[in-house]
Amino acid sequence: MDKLADYYAQIAAKYERIYAKPERQANLESLRARIRKLFAGKRVLELACGTGYWTDIIAEGAAEVTAVDINEEMLEIARSKRNASKVKFVRGSVFDIPDFGRRHDALFAGHWWSHVRLDELDPFLKRATAAVAPGALMAFFDNRYVPGSSTPVSRRDAQGNDYQARKQDDGVTHEVLKNFPNESELIQRTVRHGWGANVELLEYYWLLTWWAPK
Ligand SMILES: C[S@@+](CC[C@H](N)C(=O)[O-])C[C@H]1O[C@@H](n2cnc3c(N)ncnc32)[C@H](O)[C@@H]1O
């Protein structure tokens, strides 16, 4: 398993602390409402679902939800959520998306874009759009860098990827890839992967939507 996947397996039980940050509560409330509405009635494929925080919200109104994550530690928590019985959970890698027959008309990934190396983004997006129905709704949200709230960037590599040194409760520090693209970088990235890109900016988050090629 790779370093990032291994890191998340280790912190699974504590992962949802990110949703308890007081300064982010108003943004999170808006995002929950936005995401609930975006996927109402859709057949959704969620990538890197983690503990199912967003899966549970999407499942309230979606026609169907398939949620993929590489870590059993994460999926186990996701399966305990209120709407889990409406969700098909699949253990797998988003870099090798299982074949679901392209029946989903929407794709979602939260806090995932930032963890994809810049040179892997285009191949990843190509596979992601090919995994869902032609013309499907694509939606990604992730963090904006906010000094004082975000973990500081500790290193930038030669390719322009940023990393954070995240210290865990046991004192062990993990270096985690975490990119913070700006609005125009997000829009430009979608050009080869569909049409109609739109970025919604909140103080702590961005939400990118577009349509997969028909
Ligand atoms: C930052 S968390 C996001 C969880 C969830 N989407 C959310 O927003 O709360 C990243 C997730 O990616 C998963 N992950 C890491 N590498 C993966 C891979 N190659 N394929 C699928 N999931 C992966 C981790 O297990 C973790 O659950």
Side-chain angles (χ1 to χ4, degrees):
M1 197 178 287
D2 68 29
K3 231 174 101 182
L4 182 78
D6 197 35
Y7 161 73
Y8 277 111
Q10 288 178 43
I11 66 147
K14 291 168 183 159
Y15 174 72
E16 289 202 10
R17 285 180 184 175
I18 61 164
Y19 294 117
K21 292 195 175 192
E23 72 278 15
R24 301 188 185 185
Q25 294 312 306
N27 273 195
L28 284 168
E29 195 180 331
S30 306
L31 259 183
R32 285 193 295 268
R34 185 75 185 95
I35 283 171
R36 200 177 274 122
K37 195 168 162 198
L38 208 52
F39 296 111
K42 297 272 189 196
R43 296 186 302 278
V44 184
L45 174 59
E46 183 184 358
L47 301 180
C49 67
T51 58
Y53 181 93
W54 299 99
T55 323
D56 200 47
I57 289 160
I58 292 168
E60 284 174 18
E64 180 186 328
V65 186
T66 305
V68 178
D69 199 280
I70 204 163
N71 280 312
E72 188 50 39
E73 291 84 348
M74 287 287 185
L75 290 170
E76 200 180 310
I77 299 170
R79 282 192 209 99
S80 72
K81 294 277 155 84
R82 200 158 48 113
N83 298 309
S85 63
K86 298 183 191 167
V87 180
K88 181 180 177 194
F89 291 101
V90 177
R91 188 171 180 196
S93 175
V94 309
F95 292 118
D96 185 17
I97 303 171
D99 184 357
F100 297 111
R102 302 195 74 177
R103 70 168 192 282
H104 301 96
D105 59 4
L107 182 141
F108 171 71
H111 293 117
W112 173 250
W113 184 292
S114 55
H115 289 321
V116 181
R117 280 206 330 259
L118 296 175
D119 66 344
E120 284 182 346
L121 260 175
D122 281 322
F124 162 69
L125 292 174
K126 192 170 176 203
R127 276 181 257 122
T129 51
V132 288
L137 169 69
M138 306 292 291
F140 290 77
F141 92 82
D142 217 312
N143 301 99
R144 298 182 72 191
Y145 186 79
V146 181
S149 180
S150 307
T151 304
V153 170
S154 50
R155 180 170 78 87
R156 173 165 288 189
D157 70 16
Q159 288 73 43
N161 295 288
D162 287 339
Y163 297 83
Q164 296 170 324
R166 296 188 182 176
K167 196 169 181 185
Q168 301 312 307
D169 293 350
D170 58 7
V172 175
T173 298
H174 299 261
E175 185 178 66
V176 178
L177 167 66
K178 183 80 183 175
N179 286 320
F180 294 94
N182 64 31
E183 192 177 354
S184 73
E185 286 166 336
L186 289 168
I187 299 274
Q188 281 166 31
R189 201 47 97 160
T190 65
V191 168
R192 284 183 291 281
H193 306 288
W195 55 281
N198 183 55
V199 177
E200 293 163 54
L201 291 179
L202 303 178
E203 187 179 356
Y204 294 96
Y205 302 96
W206 53 258
L207 171 65
L208 168 68
T209 53
W210 78 97
W211 305 99
K214 285 219 166 138

